[in-house]
Amino acid sequence: MRRITLTRFLIEEQRNRNVIETDLRLLIEVVARACKSISLAVGKGALAGVLGSADVENVQGEVQKKLDVISNEILLEANEWGGHLAAMASEEMEHPYAIPHRYPKGEFLLLFDPLDGSSNIDVNVSIGTIFSVLRCPEGVEQPEEKHFLQAGTEQVCAGYAVYGPTTVLVLTLGRGVHCFTLDRELGSFVLTQRDLSIPADTKEFSINMSNMRHWDAPVRRYVDELLAGKSGPRAKDFNMRWVASMVADVHRILTRGGVFMYPRDAREPSKPGKLRLMYEANPMSFIVEQAGGMATDGHRRILSIGPQSLHERVAVFLGSRHEVDRVTRYHADA
Ligand code: AHG
Ligand code: MN
Ligand code: MN
């Protein structure tokens, strides 16, 4: 079998389809390399003393794990010197990170959730990295938060890595979704699936059921109907999975279909959900749509939302088209 590495894939995309520029290619290679470093740190676990809490809080008021901090630093260090970025933003930093003056600046903005699924780090369950790439508005020399506040439709690239039994990198440049598996001996990502596609129908859903009592009526109605199974209004049995790492739950959906939900709930009525729009919901929605799925906040297409702030939260319903469409209709009916 002829193996296509990420490097070759990107060069051929550029050459044959002219869909990527050299700087974007460099950006993706650098992010992929950072994910390899994170994968290595994750894989060492207790042997390298990387498990447990870092005893500091991030801007979201969450206690950071050591690996949240390490992964954030790996991504910053890998990306600051290449000349391909104008600035970066991260779940773990309140404000955008400016490229140090000693390095040249590029035209892209990179946003990331350096380590997704933090609650799974210490229990040896799959975790990952999510990233999104935007263009820096023309003429902007020192990008600020407001320059990042672009709708998800403006993304030029999005991807995630899952550090599971294997490390995979899933990528979209707006022309389909492709999956690469890390060959640990070679040290490179190898293309293992082209054009991933999410089936429109599914019998599997993904939601943290412990929050049921806090959900809005349309979400309760939808999930109640799934739970009612064969004898209920849906006339079929549904299965449930919840990894509690969005990367792993979304990766399953890209592999065999399903619907993933993190709705708004009444625990913190001021917050429109738990997941963050700019570096969780937007990149994942771009990937899901590119694979033929659908992503809404219950009312609107997630990618069309005009962001108000870097760390804003959003309700998320994504995955198999017919199910996301249904739960979105239930919101409209209410
Ligand atoms: P993060 O670790 O980056 O803060 O994200 C965790 C997110 C997401 O990955 C996952 O789907 C969800 O939080 C899990 O939430 P619950 O613990 O409420 O189930
Ligand atoms: Mn996350
Ligand atoms: Mn995170």
Side-chain angles (χ1 to χ4, degrees), residues 144-166:
E144 295 163 30
E145 170 163 344
K146 65 179 182 208
H147 301 115
F148 283 84
L149 304 183
Q150 307 177 31
T153 46
E154 301 301 310
Q155 292 172 103
V156 293
C157 169
Y160 65 81
V162 184
Y163 314 116
T166 60

Side-chain angles (χ1 to χ4, degrees), residues 77-93:
E77 272 173 27
N79 280 288
E80 66 179 4
W81 52 267
H84 52 286
L85 289 182
M88 293 181 251
S90 162
E91 176 187 335
E92 305 303 339
M93 301 182 299

Side-chain angles (χ1 to χ4, degrees), residues 91 113 115-118 130 246 275-276 279-280:
E91 176 187 335
D113 174 356
L115 212 287
D116 176 64
S118 302
I130 310 172
M246 189 193 201
L275 298 173
R276 277 64 46 119
Y279 41 81
E280 290 179 318

Side-chain angles (χ1 to χ4, degrees), residues 58 60 62 68 91-92 113-121 127-128 130 207-208 210-211 242-249 260-262 267 274-276 279-280:
N58 66 11
Q60 341 258 346
E62 302 157 339
D68 288 321
E91 176 187 335
E92 305 303 339
D113 174 356
L115 212 287
D116 176 64
S118 302
S119 75
N120 282 323
I121 294 172
I127 49 185
I130 310 172
I207 192 166
N208 185 341
S210 70
N211 299 323
W242 182 252
V243 182
S245 294
M246 189 193 201
V247 279
D249 282 311
F260 171 93
M261 296 167 273
Y262 211 116
R267 280 175 298 173
K274 175 177 185 183
L275 298 173
R276 277 64 46 119
Y279 41 81
E280 290 179 318

Side-chain angles (χ1 to χ4, degrees), residues 24-43:
L24 183 57
R25 217 181 75 207
L26 173 67
L27 187 164
I28 295 166
E29 293 246 35
V30 172
V31 170
R33 198 179 315 135
C35 290
K36 274 188 248 175
S37 301
I38 298 171
S39 172
L40 215 66
V42 166

